[in-house]
mmCIF file of all heavy atoms in Angstrom:
data_model
loop_
_atom_site.group_PDB
_atom_site.id
_atom_site.type_symbol
_atom_site.label_atom_id
_atom_site.label_comp_id
_atom_site.label_asym_id
_atom_site.label_seq_id
_atom_site.Cartn_x
_atom_site.Cartn_y
_atom_site.Cartn_z
ATOM 1 N N PHE A 7 -65.156 -132.177 128.865
ATOM 2 C CA PHE A 7 -64.282 -130.999 128.736
ATOM 3 C C PHE A 7 -62.937 -131.260 129.419
ATOM 4 O O PHE A 7 -61.873 -130.995 128.856
ATOM 5 C CB PHE A 7 -65.001 -129.796 129.362
ATOM 6 C CG PHE A 7 -64.130 -128.599 129.623
ATOM 7 C CD1 PHE A 7 -63.664 -127.808 128.588
ATOM 8 C CD2 PHE A 7 -63.774 -128.247 130.923
ATOM 9 C CE1 PHE A 7 -62.872 -126.696 128.838
ATOM 10 C CE2 PHE A 7 -62.986 -127.145 131.186
ATOM 11 C CZ PHE A 7 -62.535 -126.364 130.132
ATOM 12 N N VAL A 23 -64.620 -123.462 139.175
ATOM 13 C CA VAL A 23 -64.692 -123.411 137.709
ATOM 14 C C VAL A 23 -66.135 -123.426 137.219
ATOM 15 O O VAL A 23 -66.515 -122.678 136.315
ATOM 16 C CB VAL A 23 -63.890 -124.574 137.091
ATOM 17 C CG1 VAL A 23 -64.210 -124.717 135.598
ATOM 18 C CG2 VAL A 23 -62.393 -124.351 137.286
ATOM 19 N N LYS A 40 -54.428 -120.831 141.407
ATOM 20 C CA LYS A 40 -55.486 -119.887 141.055
ATOM 21 C C LYS A 40 -55.480 -119.552 139.568
ATOM 22 O O LYS A 40 -56.547 -119.386 138.965
ATOM 23 C CB LYS A 40 -55.369 -118.611 141.882
ATOM 24 C CG LYS A 40 -54.203 -117.715 141.525
ATOM 25 C CD LYS A 40 -54.231 -116.414 142.280
ATOM 26 C CE LYS A 40 -53.099 -115.508 141.845
ATOM 27 N NZ LYS A 40 -53.214 -115.076 140.431
ATOM 28 N N THR A 41 -54.300 -119.441 138.953
ATOM 29 C CA THR A 41 -54.245 -119.115 137.524
ATOM 30 C C THR A 41 -54.868 -120.220 136.694
ATOM 31 O O THR A 41 -55.612 -119.962 135.738
ATOM 32 C CB THR A 41 -52.783 -118.883 137.087
ATOM 33 O OG1 THR A 41 -52.215 -117.845 137.884
ATOM 34 C CG2 THR A 41 -52.721 -118.482 135.623
ATOM 35 N N THR A 42 -54.599 -121.461 137.059
ATOM 36 C CA THR A 42 -55.210 -122.599 136.359
ATOM 37 C C THR A 42 -56.726 -122.530 136.442
ATOM 38 O O THR A 42 -57.435 -122.763 135.450
ATOM 39 C CB THR A 42 -54.715 -123.926 136.965
ATOM 40 O OG1 THR A 42 -53.300 -124.018 136.789
ATOM 41 C CG2 THR A 42 -55.393 -125.116 136.308
ATOM 42 N N VAL A 43 -57.240 -122.183 137.610
ATOM 43 C CA VAL A 43 -58.689 -122.107 137.790
ATOM 44 C C VAL A 43 -59.289 -120.991 136.942
ATOM 45 O O VAL A 43 -60.340 -121.173 136.309
ATOM 46 C CB VAL A 43 -59.033 -121.909 139.279
ATOM 47 C CG1 VAL A 43 -60.502 -121.525 139.457
ATOM 48 C CG2 VAL A 43 -58.728 -123.183 140.060
ATOM 49 N N ILE A 44 -58.632 -119.843 136.878
ATOM 50 C CA ILE A 44 -59.169 -118.724 136.083
ATOM 51 C C ILE A 44 -59.271 -119.103 134.613
ATOM 52 O O ILE A 44 -60.318 -118.919 133.977
ATOM 53 C CB ILE A 44 -58.297 -117.465 136.249
ATOM 54 C CG1 ILE A 44 -58.400 -116.928 137.671
ATOM 55 C CG2 ILE A 44 -58.719 -116.383 135.266
ATOM 56 C CD1 ILE A 44 -57.461 -115.775 137.954
ATOM 57 N N ILE A 45 -58.198 -119.644 134.053
ATOM 58 C CA ILE A 45 -58.233 -119.932 132.618
ATOM 59 C C ILE A 45 -59.155 -121.119 132.309
ATOM 60 O O ILE A 45 -59.798 -121.149 131.256
ATOM 61 C CB ILE A 45 -56.810 -120.166 132.058
ATOM 62 C CG1 ILE A 45 -56.122 -121.354 132.715
ATOM 63 C CG2 ILE A 45 -55.971 -118.906 132.198
ATOM 64 C CD1 ILE A 45 -54.747 -121.665 132.135
ATOM 65 N N CYS A 46 -59.238 -122.069 133.235
ATOM 66 C CA CYS A 46 -60.167 -123.183 133.021
ATOM 67 C C CYS A 46 -61.614 -122.693 133.100
ATOM 68 O O CYS A 46 -62.483 -123.170 132.359
ATOM 69 C CB CYS A 46 -59.932 -124.286 134.062
ATOM 70 S SG CYS A 46 -58.453 -125.276 133.750
ATOM 71 N N ARG A 47 -61.878 -121.747 133.978
ATOM 72 C CA ARG A 47 -63.236 -121.215 134.089
ATOM 73 C C ARG A 47 -63.620 -120.464 132.814
ATOM 74 O O ARG A 47 -64.756 -120.556 132.338
ATOM 75 C CB ARG A 47 -63.344 -120.290 135.300
ATOM 76 C CG ARG A 47 -64.768 -119.803 135.549
ATOM 77 C CD ARG A 47 -64.838 -118.925 136.779
ATOM 78 N NE ARG A 47 -66.214 -118.618 137.143
ATOM 79 C CZ ARG A 47 -66.925 -117.621 136.618
ATOM 80 N NH1 ARG A 47 -66.383 -116.855 135.692
ATOM 81 N NH2 ARG A 47 -68.175 -117.404 137.005
ATOM 82 N N ILE A 48 -62.679 -119.672 132.271
ATOM 83 C CA ILE A 48 -62.959 -118.955 131.018
ATOM 84 C C ILE A 48 -63.278 -119.958 129.908
ATOM 85 O O ILE A 48 -64.254 -119.802 129.157
ATOM 86 C CB ILE A 48 -61.760 -118.070 130.620
ATOM 87 C CG1 ILE A 48 -61.554 -116.961 131.658
ATOM 88 C CG2 ILE A 48 -61.975 -117.466 129.234
ATOM 89 C CD1 ILE A 48 -60.283 -116.164 131.471
ATOM 90 N N ALA A 49 -62.449 -121.017 129.814
ATOM 91 C CA ALA A 49 -62.686 -122.042 128.789
ATOM 92 C C ALA A 49 -64.012 -122.762 129.033
ATOM 93 O O ALA A 49 -64.728 -123.110 128.082
ATOM 94 C CB ALA A 49 -61.530 -123.040 128.785
ATOM 95 N N TYR A 50 -64.347 -122.980 130.294
ATOM 96 C CA TYR A 50 -65.622 -123.629 130.636
ATOM 97 C C TYR A 50 -66.798 -122.781 130.158
ATOM 98 O O TYR A 50 -67.791 -123.303 129.620
ATOM 99 C CB TYR A 50 -65.686 -123.853 132.147
ATOM 100 C CG TYR A 50 -67.026 -124.339 132.644
ATOM 101 C CD1 TYR A 50 -67.409 -125.678 132.501
ATOM 102 C CD2 TYR A 50 -67.923 -123.463 133.258
ATOM 103 C CE1 TYR A 50 -68.645 -126.125 132.958
ATOM 104 C CE2 TYR A 50 -69.156 -123.895 133.721
ATOM 105 C CZ TYR A 50 -69.511 -125.229 133.561
ATOM 106 O OH TYR A 50 -70.741 -125.669 134.016
ATOM 107 N N ASP A 74 -49.352 -112.810 131.020
ATOM 108 C CA ASP A 74 -49.146 -114.163 131.542
ATOM 109 C C ASP A 74 -50.429 -114.993 131.459
ATOM 110 O O ASP A 74 -50.401 -116.174 131.094
ATOM 111 C CB ASP A 74 -48.654 -114.104 132.988
ATOM 112 C CG ASP A 74 -47.213 -113.625 133.087
ATOM 113 O OD1 ASP A 74 -46.541 -113.580 132.046
ATOM 114 O OD2 ASP A 74 -46.777 -113.290 134.205
ATOM 115 N N LEU A 75 -51.558 -114.381 131.820
ATOM 116 C CA LEU A 75 -52.835 -115.100 131.742
ATOM 117 C C LEU A 75 -53.143 -115.510 130.303
ATOM 118 O O LEU A 75 -53.569 -116.638 130.042
ATOM 119 C CB LEU A 75 -53.965 -114.227 132.285
ATOM 120 C CG LEU A 75 -54.245 -114.286 133.790
ATOM 121 C CD1 LEU A 75 -55.364 -113.316 134.152
ATOM 122 C CD2 LEU A 75 -54.611 -115.686 134.239
ATOM 123 N N LYS A 76 -52.915 -114.601 129.394
ATOM 124 C CA LYS A 76 -53.182 -114.904 127.984
ATOM 125 C C LYS A 76 -52.249 -116.009 127.480
ATOM 126 O O LYS A 76 -52.679 -116.915 126.749
ATOM 127 C CB LYS A 76 -53.012 -113.642 127.138
ATOM 128 C CG LYS A 76 -53.412 -113.831 125.674
ATOM 129 C CD LYS A 76 -53.358 -112.517 124.920
ATOM 130 C CE LYS A 76 -53.811 -112.721 123.472
ATOM 131 N NZ LYS A 76 -53.806 -111.451 122.710
ATOM 132 N N ALA A 77 -50.976 -115.943 127.893
ATOM 133 C CA ALA A 77 -50.013 -116.968 127.478
ATOM 134 C C ALA A 77 -50.388 -118.333 128.040
ATOM 135 O O ALA A 77 -50.302 -119.355 127.334
ATOM 136 C CB ALA A 77 -48.605 -116.573 127.927
ATOM 137 N N ARG A 78 -50.822 -118.374 129.302
ATOM 138 C CA ARG A 78 -51.234 -119.642 129.910
ATOM 139 C C ARG A 78 -52.482 -120.197 129.229
ATOM 140 O O ARG A 78 -52.601 -121.408 129.024
ATOM 141 C CB ARG A 78 -51.499 -119.437 131.414
ATOM 142 C CG ARG A 78 -50.256 -119.158 132.246
ATOM 143 C CD ARG A 78 -49.495 -120.440 132.556
ATOM 144 N NE ARG A 78 -50.263 -121.355 133.353
ATOM 145 C CZ ARG A 78 -50.326 -121.346 134.672
ATOM 146 N NH1 ARG A 78 -49.665 -120.407 135.352
ATOM 147 N NH2 ARG A 78 -51.041 -122.240 135.334
ATOM 148 N N TYR A 79 -53.397 -119.316 128.898
ATOM 149 C CA TYR A 79 -54.615 -119.758 128.211
ATOM 150 C C TYR A 79 -54.262 -120.304 126.828
ATOM 151 O O TYR A 79 -54.773 -121.356 126.406
ATOM 152 C CB TYR A 79 -55.610 -118.600 128.081
ATOM 153 C CG TYR A 79 -56.971 -119.047 127.605
ATOM 154 C CD1 TYR A 79 -57.976 -119.343 128.520
ATOM 155 C CD2 TYR A 79 -57.252 -119.212 126.247
ATOM 156 C CE1 TYR A 79 -59.218 -119.790 128.105
ATOM 157 C CE2 TYR A 79 -58.485 -119.646 125.812
ATOM 158 C CZ TYR A 79 -59.470 -119.944 126.749
ATOM 159 O OH TYR A 79 -60.693 -120.385 126.325
ATOM 160 N N THR A 80 -53.376 -119.611 126.125
ATOM 161 C CA THR A 80 -52.951 -120.046 124.786
ATOM 162 C C THR A 80 -52.314 -121.429 124.841
ATOM 163 O O THR A 80 -52.588 -122.288 123.992
ATOM 164 C CB THR A 80 -51.950 -119.035 124.200
ATOM 165 O OG1 THR A 80 -52.584 -117.755 124.095
ATOM 166 C CG2 THR A 80 -51.469 -119.470 122.823
ATOM 167 N N LEU A 82 -52.796 -123.850 126.925
ATOM 168 C CA LEU A 82 -53.722 -124.929 127.265
ATOM 169 C C LEU A 82 -54.847 -125.097 126.256
ATOM 170 O O LEU A 82 -55.253 -126.215 125.934
ATOM 171 C CB LEU A 82 -54.306 -124.671 128.658
ATOM 172 C CG LEU A 82 -54.980 -125.858 129.360
ATOM 173 C CD1 LEU A 82 -54.034 -127.060 129.452
ATOM 174 C CD2 LEU A 82 -55.429 -125.452 130.763
ATOM 175 N N PHE A 83 -55.331 -123.970 125.708
ATOM 176 C CA PHE A 83 -56.533 -124.050 124.868
ATOM 177 C C PHE A 83 -56.349 -123.537 123.441
ATOM 178 O O PHE A 83 -57.299 -123.568 122.650
ATOM 179 C CB PHE A 83 -57.684 -123.278 125.535
ATOM 180 C CG PHE A 83 -58.062 -123.827 126.877
ATOM 181 C CD1 PHE A 83 -57.730 -123.154 128.044
ATOM 182 C CD2 PHE A 83 -58.726 -125.043 126.992
ATOM 183 C CE1 PHE A 83 -58.061 -123.661 129.283
ATOM 184 C CE2 PHE A 83 -59.067 -125.559 128.229
ATOM 185 C CZ PHE A 83 -58.726 -124.873 129.379
ATOM 186 N N LEU A 91 -60.405 -113.300 123.248
ATOM 187 C CA LEU A 91 -60.705 -112.906 124.619
ATOM 188 C C LEU A 91 -60.038 -111.580 124.976
ATOM 189 O O LEU A 91 -59.034 -111.191 124.374
ATOM 190 C CB LEU A 91 -60.234 -113.993 125.593
ATOM 191 C CG LEU A 91 -60.964 -115.331 125.477
ATOM 192 C CD1 LEU A 91 -60.186 -116.428 126.197
ATOM 193 C CD2 LEU A 91 -62.379 -115.216 126.049
ATOM 194 N N PHE A 93 -58.083 -109.731 127.749
ATOM 195 C CA PHE A 93 -57.289 -109.672 128.971
ATOM 196 C C PHE A 93 -56.745 -108.251 129.090
ATOM 197 O O PHE A 93 -56.096 -107.761 128.168
ATOM 198 C CB PHE A 93 -56.129 -110.670 128.936
ATOM 199 C CG PHE A 93 -56.560 -112.106 128.878
ATOM 200 C CD1 PHE A 93 -56.687 -112.762 127.659
ATOM 201 C CD2 PHE A 93 -56.832 -112.817 130.034
ATOM 202 C CE1 PHE A 93 -57.074 -114.090 127.596
ATOM 203 C CE2 PHE A 93 -57.221 -114.144 129.993
ATOM 204 C CZ PHE A 93 -57.346 -114.789 128.763
ATOM 205 N N HIS A 221 -63.936 -111.196 135.189
ATOM 206 C CA HIS A 221 -62.975 -111.855 136.074
ATOM 207 C C HIS A 221 -62.024 -110.792 136.618
ATOM 208 O O HIS A 221 -61.562 -109.929 135.866
ATOM 209 C CB HIS A 221 -62.149 -112.909 135.333
ATOM 210 C CG HIS A 221 -62.950 -114.053 134.804
ATOM 211 N ND1 HIS A 221 -63.634 -113.991 133.603
ATOM 212 C CD2 HIS A 221 -63.183 -115.287 135.308
ATOM 213 C CE1 HIS A 221 -64.246 -115.144 133.391
ATOM 214 N NE2 HIS A 221 -63.987 -115.945 134.411
#
Side-chain angles (χ1 to χ4, degrees):
F7 166 72
V23 167
K40 71 174 183 65
T41 303
T42 298
V43 168
I44 293 174
I45 61 177
C46 285
R47 185 178 189 275
I48 295 171
Y50 172 78
D74 288 347
L75 272 178
K76 186 174 182 179
R78 291 280 297 273
Y79 190 94
T80 299
L82 197 55
F83 299 107
L91 295 165
F93 296 94
H221 296 83

